[in-house]
Amino acid sequence: MRGNALAEVADDAAPRVALQDLLEALAPLLLRARITPAMVCEAVRLALVRAAAAGARIASGRVNHSRIATLTGLSRLEVRRLLTSRRPTRVPAPRQLDRAARVLEGWSRDPAFRTEAGRPRVLPLRGAAPSFETLVQRYGGDVPPRAVRTELERVGAVRVTRGRIRLHRRRLTLAKQDDCHPLVAIAPYLQGLLDALAVPDATVEWAHQLKIPVQDERMVRLEAERARRTLAAAAAALRPAVRPALDRRRSVGVTLIVTRPPPASAREREEEP
């Protein structure tokens, strides 16, 4: 009996390892979008609770909170909170922000760091309050002021001159080139793939990745267009001439995703032979 129990635990480890692999692949995109672990945890809790709720309705049609709590490991109070919450808003809760964003939030809202007119003060980098050093101590936790300053300068949120720091932008927004973030672009396609795999006994029958070497930006464009046309033709060939009346369980979903690297920087173009 003990051996069988250990075997079941070992089998259950495979999905967790796969999940870790997926998260590590997504992590660079999450950081680029300034999505923190707290935001990820909240989103995962909400998604799991909603998924459990889909199959946890009693005869009256009401959702069985105890059943959801059993499946997710959350308390019934937490389940109730998540079921009544909305999707993530544009402005996350301060506790979910990264340390640099928390510092900006405090700088914009805390009267101790604002002028009488309500504007964020120009602060000395060091010294007694109000200073940037004390601002970071209050809102940045155990992160050194220098580290927060470096990040704020990197994203263009502050300007430093002669030992004083001025707030230039109140929020850490995505860079201009990130207006269409990869997460936003791929989400609908991944959703289609995952919906197909949600059907009982559904599996990935075949998967393949091909890497095509390229030498310059022109080759990138040519290969991307070639891949797009080839895959579009393949998808069109799979489309039946007469569509049979199939229900969801008997349908076949095909998802094609073509990616390309970002445009080369000016320096990279200069270094090309």
Side-chain angles (χ1 to χ4, degrees):
M1 178 65 71
R2 178 176 176 80
N4 290 339
L6 291 176
E8 291 176 2
V9 171
D11 290 341
D12 290 341
R16 295 198 299 272
V17 172
L19 173 62
Q20 185 64 40
D21 291 340
L22 289 173
L23 290 175
E24 289 183 3
L26 286 173
L29 296 181
L30 299 178
L31 289 175
R32 181 169 149 188
R34 309 202 76 90
I35 296 177
T36 63
M39 295 179 191
V40 174
C41 287
E42 181 72 4
V44 170
R45 286 177 181 227
L46 180 59
L48 289 175
V49 164
R50 286 180 172 174
R57 294 188 179 276
I58 56 181
S60 64
R62 298 179 59 185
V63 176
N64 188 332
H65 291 184
S66 297
R67 167 74 171 161
I68 298 173
T70 301
L71 291 173
T72 62
L74 300 174
S75 68
R76 287 184 296 175
L77 182 63
E78 181 72 356
V79 167
R80 190 176 300 109
R81 180 188 73 81
L82 290 167
L83 287 176
T84 56
S85 68
R86 298 178 180 178
R87 286 189 176 273
T89 59
R90 292 181 60 86
V91 181
R95 61 183 173 80
Q96 296 179 341
L97 298 174
D98 61 67
R99 299 304 175 90
R102 291 184 199 179
V103 168
L104 288 189
E105 189 77 7
W107 199 349
S108 301
R109 297 179 181 275
D110 192 333
F113 298 94
R114 297 168 63 185
T115 64
E116 293 182 358
R119 297 180 178 178
R121 290 178 180 270
V122 178
L123 302 173
L125 290 174
R126 299 178 183 84
S131 68
F132 184 71
E133 181 179 28
T134 56
L135 174 67
V136 175
Q137 288 173 353
R138 182 174 298 186
Y139 292 99
D142 60 352
V143 179
R146 178 69 182 182
V148 176
R149 170 189 163 184
T150 298
E151 175 60 16
L152 293 180
E153 286 184 300
R154 184 186 71 83
V155 299
V158 300
R159 293 175 180 172
V160 180
T161 54
R162 299 181 180 180
R164 299 177 69 82
I165 186 167
R166 179 188 304 272
L167 184 61
H168 178 60
R169 194 173 65 225
R170 299 192 180 198
R171 295 201 178 277
L172 298 179
T173 57
L174 296 178
K176 187 174 181 180
Q177 63 269 23
D178 280 348
D179 287 344
C180 184
H181 192 275
L183 284 176
V184 178
I186 67 175
Y189 302 99
L190 291 180
Q191 184 64 54
L193 174 62
L194 295 175
D195 284 345
L197 293 177
V199 179
D201 300 326
T203 60
V204 176
E205 292 294 336
W206 180 81
H208 181 71
Q209 182 183 62
L210 174 65
K211 292 188 177 181
I212 304 173
V214 294
Q215 297 178 343
D216 51 34
E217 181 64 20
R218 176 176 170 274
M219 285 290 293
V220 170
R221 291 195 299 269
L222 289 175
E223 293 297 344
E225 179 62 17
R226 179 186 172 195
R228 186 189 67 79
R229 290 178 179 273
T230 301
L231 293 174
L238 290 173
R239 189 178 298 114
V242 179
R243 295 179 178 273
L246 298 178
D247 60 21
R248 179 182 178 86
R249 289 172 296 177
R250 295 177 56 200
S251 64
V252 175
V254 178
T255 301
L256 304 178
I257 302 176
V258 178
T259 63
R260 57 171 293 174
S265 65
R267 172 177 289 184
E268 288 173 338
R269 288 195 295 269
E270 292 175 357
E271 293 176 351
E272 288 177 359

